Amino acid sequence: MTATVQSPSPGPIAPPAKPNLLYRPEFRQAVYQILLVIALIIGFWAIAHNVAVNLARQNIASGFGFWTRTAGFDISQTLIEFDNQSTYGKAFWAGLMNTLLVAGLGIIFATILGFLVGIGRLSSNWLIAKLATAYVEILRNLPLLLQLFFWYFAVLKNLPGPRESISLPGGASLNVRGLYLPAPVPESGFGYVLAAFGIGILTSIAIAMWSKRRQLATGQRFPVLWTSLALIFLLPGAVYLVLGQPLGFEYPALRGFNFQGGMAVQPEFMALLVGLSTYTASFIAEIVRAGIAGVPRGQREAANAIGLSNGLTMRLVIIPQALRIIIPPLTSQYLNLAKNSSLAVAIGYPDFVSVFTGTVLNQTGQAVEVILLTMLVFLTISLLTSAFMNWFNKHIALVER
Amino acid sequence: MAEASRQPSRRVHGAAGAIVLDGVHKWYGEFHVLRDINLVVKDGERIVICGPSGSGKSTLIRCINRLEEHQQGSIIVDGTELTSDLRNIDKIRAEVGMVFQSFNLFPHLTILDNLCLAPVWVKKQSRAEAERIARQYLERVKIPEQALKYPGQLSGGQQQRVAIARALCMNPNIMLFDEPTSALDPEMIKEVLEVMSELASSGMTMICVTHEMGFARSVADRIIFMDRGEIVEMAPPEEFFNNPRSDRTKQFLSQILNH
């Protein structure tokens, strides 16, 4: 009788009967994942096998044996010593250094220009705001390749020849072959000037730390910026004059058909650097503007209402909050700039892709190895950049709850 | 403590009236937000402003610390006239505290840093001194234990009390409240109103835009009813609630009191 009544039993609750294996979510998930892994392995094996068979049929040896062979070509601009007797391995590093150089400088210039233009778009000055808007709308709406062609062919390749080159202040010259700058030649005693410069920087850092502590302790502020500028520039300047100007310059001079001596910056490099920086700056400007506009209006009002001036409001309240909106998309722009530097191929700057994935690949025919290495290099650059930016972003993230 | 935080020397302009608005007009484009506002607030007086939304009450008090610019007439705060002279604006903002409907605490700073920011950077107090005063005010608004938390970790009522403490840290003569309880749940409204009542009894000059009529009745010296940019009625609470003269006031009161 009692067995038929469905009353709550006073004893321990019996676990519900397990459903059939097929209907358990854990089991199904495991099965799907195992199937996917098997499919991937089969797919990769098929591709690898296909490549190996085809390479063998064309008598191309695979592997990295080419790494230590002589490259036999020249690279027009390198940061490390390289000539046509160097190895393919060295060509890899020479190209990589060139890419890192243009990407690194490009990121710095694009960030500075982008912040200036972005803040300019929010300016209450009509002319500045319109100029910044025009800059952004023109630069970001034209293809980058076109802009590189513009800088290279329309601007730099239209400069006069060496004999009619444009003289710039300080003994520099600009012509169709590039920008020629005086090269500094240190003489005896110049070490003291460098030492004074180093001491200036270290003292400035110490003063900045001391001044911050003093402000926390007493509320008094110290003109850190002006003192630092004086220490960093006037101190080594004074030492330089006292020691009788121990720094010579080797000025580029016109000999025959071209300039000799000094430092030469190639037009290909200039065009790529200017093109990449100005193009990416237009995107960074929009990101900066969005970041600042994304801080609620009440924040500025509250800061004003407790007496903070507009400059202090920007520095202590708006920018710290805007940065947290700015950083993630800014990272994407840095990655874009690094990857877009491979457009160097189009204007003949010997970047990594042009040297390694272009010339080296053509000469060796090691397509699989070269392409894999190229992908690995760009992945490494990009992942390191975003790892750093993520760390920075975490550092300034807001605490909520 | 209320007396300790106010310096008697600041009361020099008391006789002249802490705030004098004379024939103030303001337009947003074509829209006439403030029409001929004349108001004298004496030192230590507590004013409550009410009225339907869009009547210009927030704009009026935002003109007093120049978050909004008036276009005609004059505003004199503690003897200093508000003009486009930046020095006057800075001087007045350091003397006038303001509390907003949406708190507007700085989310990237701790509660203590929120309170110390202006005293350290504007009044050039030492951090230790600013912190000591900040902790006093946190005590006064009854949340000393939250000093090291971030605004996002506090309830709405707690955040608004921090906002009041932040304004008080600048040792203002005048406090402006712009609908301080409108964004709060009912049980939190009470804790904020208690702090405001305590502040009122300490002799602070207060102008408060609010629809909390219980608070207005018990605390205000005068209640102002605004509609369409004009001051329609201005009277002590008894007279305001029992004997409103204008029909618009009667209609407004019947709407907000009868439910």
Side-chain angles (χ1 to χ4, degrees):
Chain A
M1 194 50 192
T2 47
T4 57
V5 178
Q6 294 284 320
S7 63
S9 78
I13 300 159
K18 282 200 171 175
N20 189 317
L21 199 61
L22 273 178
Y23 300 107
R24 278 191 226 159
E26 321 82 273
F27 177 73
R28 285 195 176 190
Q29 281 166 9
V31 167
Y32 289 138
Q33 294 197 24
I34 289 167
L35 286 178
L36 183 63
V37 168
I38 292 172
L40 281 173
I41 290 174
I42 293 174
F44 275 117
W45 178 82
I47 293 170
H49 178 74
N50 192 29
V51 169
V53 167
N54 284 333
L55 287 178
R57 197 176 294 152
Q58 292 172 31
N59 284 327
I60 298 174
S62 55
F64 291 92
F66 70 92
W67 194 259
T68 49
R69 289 210 301 269
T70 305
F73 61 84
D74 283 304
I75 298 177
S76 56
Q77 179 196 323
T78 55
L79 290 172
I80 55 176
E81 243 167 74
F82 187 89
D83 57 35
N84 54 23
Q85 297 304 306
S86 303
T87 60
Y88 285 121
K90 205 150 185 206
F92 171 91
W93 292 112
L96 181 56
M97 300 291 274
N98 280 347
T99 288
L100 291 179
L101 175 72
V102 80
L105 287 177
I107 283 176
I108 294 171
F109 289 144
T111 308
I112 296 171
L113 188 59
F115 268 76
L116 289 179
V117 175
I119 292 172
R121 277 200 81 172
L122 293 166
S123 168
S124 52
N125 181 319
W126 184 87
L127 185 64
I128 291 178
K130 292 296 164 202
L131 278 178
T133 307
Y135 175 91
V136 168
E137 293 306 344
I138 292 171
L139 271 285
R140 74 168 176 174
N141 287 322
L142 290 174
L144 175 56
L145 188 57
L146 180 70
Q147 296 189 33
L148 291 181
F149 283 156
F150 169 78
W151 290 111
Y152 186 60
F153 292 114
V155 177
L156 295 174
K157 280 286 146 187
N158 269 341
L159 290 171
R163 283 170 188 285
E164 293 85 34
S165 58
I166 304 162
S167 294
L168 300 174
S173 309
L174 185 65
N175 63 46
V176 69
R177 302 259 176 94
L179 175 66
Y180 292 84
L181 300 167
V185 182
E187 289 158 16
S188 71
F190 187 67
Y192 293 108
V193 179
L194 284 183
F197 185 64
I199 290 171
I201 291 178
L202 290 180
T203 324
S204 301
I205 295 173
I207 287 181
M209 284 160 57
W210 166 80
S211 143
K212 181 154 191 210
R213 229 173 312 146
R214 191 178 74 145
Q215 198 204 335
L216 288 182
T218 66
Q220 285 171 296
R221 275 196 267 168
F222 187 79
V224 175
L225 180 67
W226 298 114
T227 333
S228 305
L229 284 180
L231 277 170
I232 293 174
F233 293 106
L234 294 187
L235 182 68
V239 173
Y240 178 71
L241 291 178
V242 165
L243 291 177
Q245 313 192 0
L247 180 69
F249 283 98
E250 189 196 42
Y251 288 94
L254 188 64
R255 292 206 192 89
F257 293 109
N258 205 353
F259 277 87
Q260 302 288 321
M263 283 193 304
V265 184
Q266 292 185 342
E268 292 79 20
F269 175 75
M270 279 194 286
L272 185 64
L273 182 60
V274 170
L276 279 178
S277 318
T278 51
Y279 174 77
T280 312
S282 67
F283 290 89
I284 293 180
E286 281 301 89
I287 291 168
V288 169
R289 183 172 74 110
I292 292 175
V295 177
R297 214 170 70 124
Q299 291 289 312
R300 183 185 294 273
E301 289 179 350
N304 281 336
I306 51 173
L308 292 175
S309 67
N310 281 336
L312 281 178
T313 300
M314 201 69 175
R315 190 171 126 204
L316 299 172
V317 176
I318 307 295
I319 294 282
Q321 294 185 61
L323 270 185
R324 125 195 106 93
I325 310 176
I326 290 172
I327 299 285
L330 186 64
T331 310
S332 304
Q333 290 308 321
Y334 286 174
L335 302 182
N336 273 343
L337 190 146
K339 289 179 292 175
N340 285 340
S341 72
S342 59
L343 287 173
V345 175
I347 52 171
Y349 172 70
D351 82 317
F352 179 71
V353 171
S354 159
V355 170
F356 192 67
T357 324
T359 316
V360 173
L361 172 57
N362 269 329
Q363 291 195 4
T364 62
Q366 306 283 352
V368 178
E369 293 84 352
V370 169
I371 296 285
L372 273 181
L373 266 182
T374 310
M375 295 200 292
L376 205 63
V377 160
F378 276 98
L379 264 180
T380 310
I381 295 175
S382 297
L383 289 178
L384 284 180
T385 309
S386 55
F388 170 76
M389 295 300 277
N390 285 344
W391 168 83
F392 185 61
N393 196 29
K394 215 168 189 176
H395 192 68
I396 60 166
L398 282 192
V399 179
E400 322 210 25
R401 297 269 151 211
Chain B
M1 187 177 141
E3 281 312 307
S5 64
R6 284 174 58 81
Q7 298 157 3
S9 61
R10 282 268 186 97
R11 291 174 177 262
V12 189
H13 303 292
I19 304 168
V20 181
L21 288 89
D22 187 18
V24 172
H25 286 265
K26 177 172 175 60
W27 290 264
Y28 284 131
E30 289 289 294
F31 181 56
H32 203 163
V33 230
L34 295 180
R35 301 163 190 256
D36 193 26
I37 303 288
N38 294 289
L39 174 65
V40 176
V41 181
K42 290 194 287 288
D43 193 0
E45 202 176 11
R46 279 110 23 168
I47 307 279
V48 163
I49 305 179
C50 60
S53 69
S55 59
K57 36 192 207 308
S58 286
T59 308
L60 174 62
I61 69 165
R62 288 160 63 88
C63 280
I64 293 173
N65 68 350
R66 197 70 168 192
L67 288 181
E68 305 280 355
E69 207 172 313
H70 61 284
Q71 282 129 8
Q72 217 180 80
S74 73
I75 301 178
I76 299 171
V77 180
D78 245 359
T80 309
E81 178 164 10
L82 267 179
T83 55
S84 51
D85 187 334
L86 290 171
R87 288 166 303 177
N88 284 359
I89 296 175
D90 287 346
K91 185 159 172 256
I92 285 170
R93 281 179 178 165
E95 279 175 25
V96 178
M98 184 157 194
V99 175
F100 299 87
Q101 179 178 351
S102 48
F103 329 137
N104 293 345
L105 295 178
F106 306 131
H108 60 300
L109 300 176
T110 61
I111 299 307
L112 204 55
D113 289 338
N114 263 277
L115 266 57
C116 292
L117 194 70
V120 166
W121 286 93
V122 181
K123 293 181 90 180
K124 315 249 189 288
Q125 283 177 356
S126 75
R127 171 77 192 190
E129 171 77 356
E131 227 169 82
R132 192 182 60 74
I133 296 172
R135 285 189 187 274
Q136 264 179 23
Y137 280 113
L138 283 180
E139 197 87 44
R140 187 164 164 192
V141 300
K142 301 182 186 72
I143 35 174
E145 71 284 358
Q146 311 284 8
L148 298 177
K149 288 193 181 170
Y150 285 87
Q153 298 169 305
L154 269 54
S155 74
Q158 290 173 326
Q159 289 194 44
Q160 193 60 295
R161 284 183 283 155
V162 171
I164 294 173
R166 178 175 70 180
L168 292 177
C169 278
M170 287 298 281
N171 194 18
N173 291 346
I174 300 161
M175 284 286 283
L176 307 173
F177 293 86
D178 188 3
E179 306 207 28
T181 55
S182 300
L184 296 176
D185 292 338
E187 74 268 30
M188 294 175 181
I189 291 179
K190 195 166 155 277
E191 62 190 45
V192 170
L193 290 181
E194 273 169 13
V195 168
M196 288 168 62
S197 303
E198 194 265 334
L199 200 58
S201 62
S202 76
M204 174 77 73
T205 307
M206 285 168 68
I207 302 184
C208 186
V209 173
T210 184
H211 292 136
E212 294 297 328
M213 287 303 135
F215 172 80
R217 201 189 279 271
S218 64
V219 165
D221 295 314
R222 277 185 291 166
I223 301 180
I224 291 173
F225 173 69
M226 283 184 73
D227 193 16
R228 293 184 205 127
E230 287 172 315
I231 293 182
V232 175
E233 185 130 2
M234 175 153 60
E238 278 306 301
E239 199 183 321
F240 183 84
F241 287 112
N242 302 335
N243 264 327
R245 273 169 296 170
S246 115
D247 287 340
R248 276 191 273 171
T249 316
K250 282 177 198 160
Q251 197 191 354
F252 178 76
L253 282 177
S254 75
Q255 272 168 0
I256 65 163
L257 293 177
N258 288 350
H259 66 100

